[in-house]
Amino acid sequence: MTGERLHRTTYAVDVAAPAGVVYGLIADTTQWPLFVPPSIHVERLDFDGTRDRFQMWVTANGTVKSWLSHRILDARARRIDFHHEVPAGPSTSLGGRWTVEPMGAESSRLTLDHEFTVAEDRPEDATWVERATDSNSRTELERLKECAERWTRLDALTLSFEESVRLKGPAELVHDFLYGIADWPGRVPHVLRADVAEERSGIQVVRMDTVSDNGTAQTTEAVRVCFPHALRIVHKQTATPLLLEAHTGEWSVIPDTTGVTAVAQHSVLLREEAIEPVLGRGTSIAEARTHVRELLGAQSRTVLNLAKRHAESAIRTL
C-alpha cells in the first residue's frame, strides 16, 4: 500500500427512537434495499448471527457499483464493523463502523465511520470516493432516521407479496421475455415506454412510462441486476411513484420435473404522508396497502401471463 493514505469520514444523526430499533434496521442487510436508498440489492452469502458476508449493489455518483462485504455484528454493544473484501474501484480498501448510542429510553445517536484508500492516493480518485461516501452516507442516515422514528407504524407501512404462474415451456424463453424489458411497449398493455441502458452486461437502468387501469400515467426509474444463469432478475425503483417510498422486487423462473413456475415478488414501503393526497381524504394505511397490492399484483400477473404465452407459443410453433 505504498503511496496510499488512509482517508476517514464520520457522519452522525440523532434519532427519536430506541437504540434497539435503530440497531435492528442496520443489522439486517437483506432489508437495506427497502430502507437504504443507495442500496439496490444484497445477495447474502453467509450469516451466523455474528458474521455477515454478502455481495451488494449500490448507486454511487450516478453509477451502479458492486462489492463483496464482510461485517461483524456486536448486538450487545450495538456496533457493526465492516470491510469490503473485494472493493469497487477506485477504492483499493474500504471499511468502517456503524455505532448506535442510547441517548435515553426513546432516543439514540447513529454514527457511521468510513476509512478508505485509493491507488497511489490519486486526488481525482480520492475525490470521487469522498463524494460518493458523503452523498450516500447522508442519504442513508436520513432515511434510517425517518424509518426508525416511525417504528410503531413501520410494519403497517411495509408489505411483501408475490404472484406466480405455472407453464409448460422452456424456462429460458420465460426469462428472455422478462429480461427484454425494452420490448415491453406494445406487448405489455400498461407499459407505454421503456428506455433501457445496459453499459455493463446484466446491469439494466430503466426509465419507464406506465399507465394504471384508471388511466393515470406515471414515470419511474429502476435498476435491474440480472442473474441469467440462475434465471433471476432483481430490481429496485430509484424514482418511485408518489405513493411509494421504496419498491424492490424480483422476477424468477423455476423449472422442475413437471413444468416451470414464473414468480414476481414485490416489497414496498409506503410514503405515509402521500396516502391521502394520492388516494383521497380519509384513506387509511390498510386501504393504501390493498390498493398497492392489487395494482402491482395485476400488473405482475399480466407480465407473467405474457411470458407464459411467449414460451408456450414457441413450443407450439416448433
Side-chain angles (χ1 to χ4, degrees):
M1 292 184 33
T2 302
E4 294 184 358
R5 178 168 64 92
L6 191 63
H7 300 255
R8 292 186 172 91
T9 63
T10 297
Y11 301 88
V13 65
D14 291 337
V15 185
V21 170
V22 179
Y23 179 81
L25 284 175
I26 62 174
D28 185 1
T29 53
T30 64
Q31 292 299 307
W32 279 13
L34 200 59
F35 297 131
V36 179
S39 299
I40 299 299
H41 177 59
V42 173
E43 191 83 1
R44 177 170 271 170
L45 305 175
D46 188 32
F47 181 64
D48 64 5
T50 300
R51 297 182 182 276
D52 189 11
R53 190 168 179 264
F54 52 92
Q55 188 80 22
M56 171 176 273
W57 288 259
V58 305
T59 55
N61 292 341
T63 64
V64 179
K65 293 284 188 178
S66 178
W67 55 72
L68 182 62
S69 189
H70 180 264
R71 305 194 309 164
I72 299 178
L73 286 72
D74 187 338
R76 185 182 297 274
R78 298 189 182 92
R79 183 180 67 238
I80 301 174
D81 295 304
F82 63 88
H83 75 273
H84 296 179
E85 294 183 19
V86 182
S91 301
T92 52
S93 70
L94 195 148
R97 173 178 292 179
W98 293 90
T99 308
V100 185
E101 177 185 0
M103 305 293 288
E106 299 295 327
S107 63
S108 54
R109 176 169 295 163
L110 175 60
T111 302
L112 174 58
D113 298 306
H114 279 101
E115 54 184 37
F116 67 88
T117 61
V118 296
E120 300 177 359
D121 202 36
R122 286 190 289 265
E124 64 274 19
D125 289 344
T127 298
W128 194 97
V129 178
E130 286 171 352
R131 182 158 54 94
T133 300
D134 182 77
S135 175
N136 283 9
S137 296
R138 293 181 189 278
T139 302
E140 289 167 3
L141 292 183
E142 185 59 32
R143 178 62 62 79
L144 288 166
K145 170 183 169 71
E146 292 172 358
C147 290
E149 291 180 346
R150 292 181 293 176
W151 68 278
T152 58
R153 306 185 306 284
L154 199 57
D155 283 347
L157 292 170
T158 58
L159 65 151
S160 295
F161 60 91
E162 66 179 40
E163 300 285 346
S164 64
V165 300
R166 287 286 292 174
L167 63 122
K168 292 187 179 296
E172 292 76 13
L173 288 181
V174 181
H175 176 267
D176 287 347
F177 184 93
L178 299 173
Y179 182 86
I181 191 170
D183 298 325
W184 287 9
R187 304 175 75 182
V188 178
H190 63 269
V191 178
L192 304 178
R193 178 177 66 96
D195 296 334
V196 181
E198 190 168 350
E199 296 180 0
R200 284 188 295 149
S201 180
I203 305 295
Q204 297 178 329
V205 179
V206 183
R207 184 175 177 85
M208 178 182 289
D209 292 339
T210 60
V211 61
S212 60
D213 290 341
N214 64 9
T216 303
Q218 58 192 9
T219 299
T220 59
E221 295 180 7
V223 175
R224 309 207 315 169
V225 181
C226 307
F227 303 92
H229 297 298
L231 301 177
R232 297 172 56 218
I233 302 168
V234 298
H235 56 87
K236 176 177 178 175
Q237 286 187 336
T238 51
T240 60
L242 183 59
L243 187 58
L244 306 185
E245 191 79 58
H247 176 203
T248 66
E250 177 174 337
W251 301 99
S252 55
V253 183
I254 308 165
D256 56 43
T257 56
T258 62
V260 173
T261 303
V263 181
Q265 186 274 330
H266 297 274
S267 293
V268 167
L269 172 63
L270 296 175
R271 182 176 282 116
E272 186 174 8
E273 63 273 19
I275 291 176
E276 289 193 355
V278 174
L279 299 179
R281 189 171 181 178
T283 303
S284 67
I285 293 176
E287 290 170 328
R289 288 170 60 93
T290 299
H291 170 82
V292 170
R293 173 68 178 87
E294 291 178 350
L295 176 62
L296 292 179
Q299 292 178 343
S300 296
R301 289 192 299 273
T302 295
V303 173
L304 292 174
N305 281 315
L306 288 170
K308 168 186 169 80
R309 182 189 304 171
H310 175 73
E312 293 181 339
S313 297
I315 289 298
R316 287 195 294 270
T317 300
L318 292 174

